[in-house]
Amino acid sequence: MSINQVSTHPVATSVAADTVPAHHAAHLWYRPLTGNELRQCLRIAFGCTTGFLLCKLFGWGYGVFYTVTPVLLLGMVPVMNGHAARQLIASAVVCGVEVGLLGGLFGSHPVLMTPIAFLLFLYRFAAMSRGSLFLFGANGVLSLSIMLHFASYPQTDLNDLIFNNIWANILSVLIAYLMTALIPDLEARPKPAPAPKAPHRMRHEALLGATVATLSFLTFQLFDLRDSMSAQATTLLVLFPMHWNGALSYARKRAMGTLLGVTFGLLGQLVLYDWSGQLLLVAPLLWLGAMLFSHAHVKEAGGSGVGFGALTTLGILFGQYLTPGNDLVFSALYRVSSILFAIVVTLLACYLIHRLLNRFEATRFGY
């Protein structure tokens, strides 16, 4: 994603960061934040906290949508723009229509739903591979997998699920515009040039992502893993680089980010003790954690790294699991074990599919 089109492409910057010499990469952590970077940190922290507060004050369900979506948008799009807003809302609406029609008809039949899910994932990863519609594909992949999974359970209110996802995306766009207006950049950002890709590489990326995402969906369906949203999201986030080397690099960073996010969540629980229902106490803790991890995220040059993994983990813990009748301790420890296991299994599947696709000229990754 370029700033003109969507904004900084998180995968492109992540891959680029992997090619930076070690001494230069280390220098990134010691340099002071620029004015633009500090303001992006503030936008992420305030945007995440605003979504969380609105969700809790109005009693909306699926709090993870309202807490994590602003993080995804403000973290991946340093400067909010119309192209990013259109992609995010379009992905939510299209996903809602697909889940409402297909999930309602075939959601309780995993065998019938599997080829349909593959096709739905395939065109989203194809959009991601092209670059200009990366946000549409990335947000759609995450939302579709989670919503299709939960739509298969008869106790799920499908209309409520779809409404909350669409409203969370619209609200996140409004929050992003508000944060950009209140905390604007100090100077214009450079416009990165898009990197062209060969057709066989784009086919490789689309097929790799769609195949592993479908295997993930099928696994969560067959084993009835309804309380593992963070692990399910991780299996998809690992695929965002859309190639084996990028997935391996991101998996290490995601694991470190998860540990950091969970550690902060546990420390926050110790501070709150049994006051976890007091929003006046919870909100400052969430803001502090989001600010710390945003600092790490922008220091990593905008890539999907340790800071971004910690941000999404923190959003899931606070948005979905921190309620007056439920503390974070069990949820946090469960998140760690399930995410680490999901990373290992996803990497294995990714490697095998990568090797298989590289056997054919039409789907080979390299140039």
Side-chain angles (χ1 to χ4, degrees):
M1 295 180 289
S2 68
I3 293 176
N4 264 357
Q5 297 172 329
V6 177
S7 74
T8 303
H9 191 315
V11 173
T13 50
S14 181
V15 174
D18 293 337
T19 63
V20 174
H23 68 276
H24 180 69
H27 175 69
L28 291 175
W29 292 99
Y30 292 102
R31 64 173 177 79
L33 288 178
T34 65
N36 280 359
E37 289 173 336
L38 176 59
R39 286 169 176 257
Q40 186 182 358
C41 288
L42 290 169
R43 289 196 294 266
I44 295 173
F46 279 112
C48 173
T49 307
T50 301
F52 171 79
L53 284 174
L54 289 174
C55 168
K56 298 303 179 182
L57 287 173
F58 288 98
W60 297 326
Y62 302 97
V64 65
F65 291 153
Y66 297 94
T67 309
V68 175
T69 308
V71 170
L72 292 174
L73 183 57
L74 290 165
M76 292 197 295
V77 183
V79 180
M80 189 59 193
N81 57 76
H83 188 55
R86 289 189 294 271
Q87 287 189 73
L88 198 75
I89 295 174
S91 71
V93 172
V94 171
C95 185
V97 172
E98 291 171 344
V99 171
L101 294 177
L102 301 175
L105 292 173
F106 307 108
S108 58
H109 306 283
V111 176
L112 295 175
M113 198 63 221
T114 299
I116 297 174
F118 174 79
L119 293 176
L120 297 179
F121 285 131
L122 183 62
Y123 85 80
R124 285 177 167 85
F125 276 103
M128 292 168 65
S129 182
R130 291 185 179 275
S132 60
L133 295 176
F134 185 90
L135 187 58
F136 171 84
N139 188 59
V141 163
L142 282 170
S143 298
L144 180 70
S145 182
I146 292 171
M147 292 174 69
L148 281 180
H149 179 58
F150 281 95
S152 66
Y153 296 108
Q155 64 269 29
T156 300
D157 186 335
L158 198 55
N159 292 328
D160 186 52
L161 176 66
I162 294 171
F163 167 80
N164 277 286
N165 181 60
I166 293 176
W167 177 232
N169 280 271
I170 294 174
L171 189 65
S172 297
V173 168
L174 297 176
I175 289 173
Y177 272 119
L178 177 63
M179 294 300 111
T180 303
L182 295 177
I183 315 173
D185 274 350
L186 294 177
E187 56 187 8
R189 294 174 183 257
K191 302 174 182 178
K197 294 180 181 179
H200 53 81
R201 173 171 175 172
M202 289 193 288
R203 286 191 288 268
H204 178 100
E205 293 177 344
L207 288 170
L208 173 67
T211 303
V212 179
T214 304
L215 291 174
S216 167
F217 167 74
L218 190 59
T219 300
F220 278 83
Q221 284 280 282
L222 293 177
F223 290 96
D224 196 23
L225 302 175
R226 70 183 70 189
D227 193 34
S228 302
M229 186 184 296
S230 52
Q232 187 177 4
T234 294
T235 62
L236 302 169
L237 289 168
V238 168
L239 298 174
F240 278 14
M242 293 182 292
H243 58 88
W244 163 244
N245 291 333
L248 182 63
S249 174
Y250 176 75
R252 293 194 297 264
K253 296 174 182 177
R254 174 70 182 177
M256 293 175 61
T258 298
L259 291 174
L260 288 174
V262 165
T263 299
F264 185 90
L266 290 174
L267 291 175
Q269 180 66 57
L270 291 176
V271 172
L272 292 172
Y273 196 52
D274 56 355
W275 295 330
S276 58
Q278 302 297 320
L279 284 179
L280 289 177
L281 300 178
V282 174
L285 273 178
L286 175 60
W287 184 91
L288 177 62
M291 191 65 187
L292 289 173
F293 298 139
S294 298
H295 180 273
H297 171 59
V298 299
K299 280 291 185 75
E300 292 174 292
S304 298
V306 177
F308 198 69
L311 275 170
T312 54
T313 300
L314 189 70
I316 291 172
L317 285 175
F318 275 74
Q320 190 73 6
Y321 300 104
L322 186 62
T323 62
N326 180 35
D327 63 50
L328 288 179
V329 176
F330 172 78
S331 296
L333 296 178
Y334 178 68
R335 299 285 85 70
V336 171
S337 58
S338 63
I339 285 175
L340 294 181
F341 181 75
I343 286 174
V344 173
V345 175
T346 304
L347 283 178
L348 177 61
C350 189
Y351 176 74
L352 294 176
I353 301 300
H354 169 80
R355 291 293 302 271
L356 177 63
L357 292 173
N358 269 353
R359 290 179 178 272
F360 306 97
E361 184 69 28
T363 57
R364 190 163 293 161
F365 176 76
Y367 288 100

